[in-house]
Amino acid sequence: MSELINRLSLYQPSQAIIIGGGPAGLSTALRLHQTTNIKCSIYELRPEPTTLGGAIGIMPNGLRLFSRLGVYDALHARGSSQSNLVIHSAQGGIVGEQKDMVSYARAQTGFGYLRIKRTDLVDVLLDAVYNAQIPIYFNKRLTTIDDNGDSGVTVRFSDGSADKADIIIGCDGIHSCVRRLYVDPDQKPEYSGFSGLFSLVPTSRLSSSTAAQLSGIGATLTEQGMFMVMLATAAGDEVAWGLSQEVPLPDSGDSRDGWEVYRQKEVNEFKSNMHQILEKVHGNWGDLLRQLVDNTDGIQFYPVYRLPLGGTWYKGRCVLLGDAAHAMQPHAGQGVSMALEDTFLLARLLEDPSRPVVEVYKKFDEIRRPRVNEIYKLASRNVKARKTTGPWVLWSKEVVVGMAFWASWALGLEKWGWGQKHMAYDIDTEEISEGSGIRY
């Protein structure tokens, strides 16, 4: 091992293979293209850009990085930037409301909140990758990784093709082949105990009075989980709805990656279940939720997996970014932003040609761990509101949430960054020189 480290210390990367053509992989290729002389090639498992996925929330810390990547305007033109948040009571009233749920972070960063369809996010990043003439290859299933130290790394795919580069960057998600085949085979995803159902519905299918209620994000606590409703486009012509709930791991379907349901019989079964949950949600908001369910053609189901903290993120010339390294539950709204932070830090570290690869990866790990642990734990805390409960516990949850909103308003806590400081974090302010501590 010491001999391998010595060889790595003398060899600077000029070519990188990126495994994974999702937001993390595309963003990494773009940032390396912008700031380094490293030539990237992207390999994606799927035969074409995926159409699976709902609407993704991007917080100010992530939007600031997308701006530096040069794609913010294109994203903003597609997604909804309405950032008002309303928590609705199952009894028909309003538990709490924020006119701007990212007000402090907006003031600190100059960026707000964006809700965008995952397909639109990938489209924008793909356009940027094509414009930068970065090659991307689809339908490539990784089978082996041969790390030869000073002579680089060779990857082979199931179709018999192969490629070689100086470094491998695994951006292939929670079920990462790069992690499983080489970096950390013992690190296994675990089911969080929660799953998500969601769909996109054209606003034109709703009555005018129902459509008029839509703005920003609306959430409702129920005995079986949390319903969320969000505008998903800049034009407001599509609305995303979803239910996050505590359920046993399903024993059918693709439990790893989720699946889309379009067969009418199955869709109707999901709708029937949703209506049973919504029977106890009253008022105009309850009517809106039922109308959204009734106008749903297809439903996407996702069991939520995560990686236990403490795994290995790099080995030899291979490094993991985003969900491949530290997949967490989505309940902090930081999934895409965390991957971007990884990307920007790695690119900064690779800008210095005198910094050995082994030191780049070591410094990356040192800086990122505390931040990842913080957001991971925040997401785990936030999921508690989605646990299955009874009517009295639900009532007590609503009381606690209402008191928190009132205290924030009465004491002016938002002005001091209460609950928002993690959204104002800037990875580019981290000190990366040797011997320097980590700054927040």
Side-chain angles (χ1 to χ4, degrees):
M1 178 60 72
S2 61
E3 181 183 353
L4 173 61
I5 291 175
N6 289 335
R7 292 203 304 265
L8 291 175
S9 299
L10 299 173
Y11 200 66
Q12 298 305 316
S14 62
Q15 292 182 312
I17 290 173
I18 296 173
I19 304 297
L26 298 173
S27 298
T28 299
L30 286 170
R31 192 58 178 172
L32 290 176
H33 177 78
Q34 284 180 339
T35 62
T36 73
N37 293 318
I38 298 173
K39 304 299 181 183
C40 297
S41 297
I42 306 170
Y43 290 90
E44 164 58 33
L45 169 66
R46 294 176 176 85
E48 59 187 11
T50 178
T51 58
L52 187 64
I56 295 174
I58 308 176
M59 297 299 182
N61 53 306
L63 291 179
R64 175 162 51 187
L65 298 183
F66 274 128
S67 177
R68 293 171 185 167
L69 207 58
V71 297
Y72 173 78
D73 289 342
L75 294 175
H76 190 267
R78 296 203 188 195
S80 171
S81 57
Q82 295 187 31
S83 58
N84 55 302
L85 169 66
V86 180
I87 308 296
H88 296 266
S89 166
Q91 301 307 311
I94 292 179
V95 175
E97 185 172 5
Q98 283 180 299
K99 293 182 179 179
D100 183 3
M101 66 177 186
V102 296
S103 57
Y104 171 85
R106 186 193 301 274
Q108 298 296 312
T109 67
F111 294 91
Y113 173 81
L114 189 71
R115 173 68 58 171
I116 187 170
K117 294 190 294 183
R118 189 181 190 278
T119 51
D120 284 344
L121 172 60
V122 171
D123 281 347
V124 168
L125 291 173
L126 274 173
D127 286 344
V129 163
Y130 292 142
N131 289 336
Q133 298 183 336
I134 300 170
I136 178 169
Y137 306 95
F138 291 95
N139 203 23
K140 292 291 187 176
R141 180 180 294 276
L142 182 66
T143 57
T144 60
I145 298 174
D146 295 322
D147 192 335
N148 302 309
D150 56 353
S151 60
V153 190
T154 301
V155 295
R156 292 181 173 83
F157 301 95
S158 60
D159 61 4
S161 63
D163 197 1
K164 184 177 180 180
D166 302 314
I167 59 175
I168 306 295
I169 305 174
C171 299
D172 48 342
I174 186 171
H175 304 290
S176 168
C177 284
V178 178
R179 187 186 67 245
R180 176 174 54 83
L181 293 173
Y182 182 68
V183 175
D184 191 2
D186 294 331
Q187 179 76 311
K188 308 294 185 184
E190 61 183 19
Y191 180 53
S192 67
F194 290 81
S195 292
L197 289 167
F198 60 86
S199 186
L200 291 163
V201 176
T203 312
S204 59
R205 293 188 178 181
L206 307 176
S207 67
S208 56
S209 59
T210 298
Q213 296 182 64
L214 298 171
S215 67
I217 300 175
T220 307
L221 296 174
T222 75
E223 293 179 24
Q224 283 79 39
M226 178 182 286
F227 265 90
M228 302 282 288
V229 177
M230 304 145 288
L231 291 175
T233 62
D237 56 350
E238 286 187 84
V239 56
W241 70 263
L243 170 65
S244 177
Q245 61 179 157
E246 186 178 20
V247 295
L249 180 63
D251 55 7
S252 62
D254 181 1
S255 62
R256 286 162 49 92
D257 299 314
W259 63 91
E260 288 183 280
V261 175
Y262 282 108
R263 290 189 292 272
Q264 193 59 50
K265 178 176 181 295
E266 292 179 331
V267 170
N268 288 341
E269 289 175 355
F270 274 113
K271 287 183 178 182
S272 176
N273 290 336
M274 294 303 102
H275 275 292
Q276 289 180 24
I277 294 173
L278 294 174
E279 281 180 355
K280 297 182 180 181
V281 181
H282 305 289
N284 291 336
W285 189 253
D287 293 339
L288 179 148
L289 296 179
R290 284 181 282 272
Q291 193 173 144
L292 281 171
V293 170
D294 287 338
N295 284 279
T296 295
D297 291 333
I299 293 176
Q300 299 184 23
F301 178 85
Y302 275 89
V304 176
Y305 283 80
R306 63 189 176 197
L307 289 174
L309 290 174
T312 299
W313 294 355
Y314 67 92
K315 179 182 177 182
R317 292 196 160 272
C318 298
V319 65
L320 304 173
L321 302 187
D323 282 353
H326 47 69
M328 59 188 68
Q329 294 168 221
H331 305 112
Q334 285 285 341
V336 170
S337 299
M338 293 298 285
L340 276 173
E341 290 177 7
D342 286 354
T343 288
F344 272 68
L345 177 60
L346 181 65
R348 281 181 67 204
L349 291 167
L350 288 170
E351 284 180 38
D352 182 1
S354 68
R355 190 187 293 268
V357 170
V358 68
E359 293 300 330
V360 166
Y361 293 168
K362 181 180 178 182
K363 194 67 177 178
F364 172 85
D365 191 295
E366 173 191 334
I367 292 174
R368 288 300 287 155
R369 289 276 176 182
R371 169 73 171 168
V372 166
N373 291 348
E374 173 194 357
I375 303 302
Y376 187 103
K377 292 173 183 177
L378 173 64
S380 297
R381 291 195 300 271
N382 288 348
V383 79
K384 292 178 181 179
R386 296 158 170 83
K387 285 182 175 290
T388 302
T389 187
W392 285 106
V393 175
L394 175 62
W395 175 80
S396 66
K397 283 183 181 179
E398 291 183 345
V399 170
V400 170
V401 171
M403 291 177 62
F405 272 84
W406 179 86
S408 176
W409 169 80
L411 302 176
L413 297 180
E414 287 184 35
K415 295 186 297 183
W416 302 102
W418 185 64
Q420 294 187 38
K421 287 188 176 180
H422 66 281
M423 304 178 194
Y425 171 84
D426 187 355
I427 187 66
D428 281 347
T429 64
E430 290 285 6
E431 179 59 60
I432 64 174
S433 61
E434 293 303 323
S436 300
I438 301 173
R439 293 195 292 117
Y440 282 89

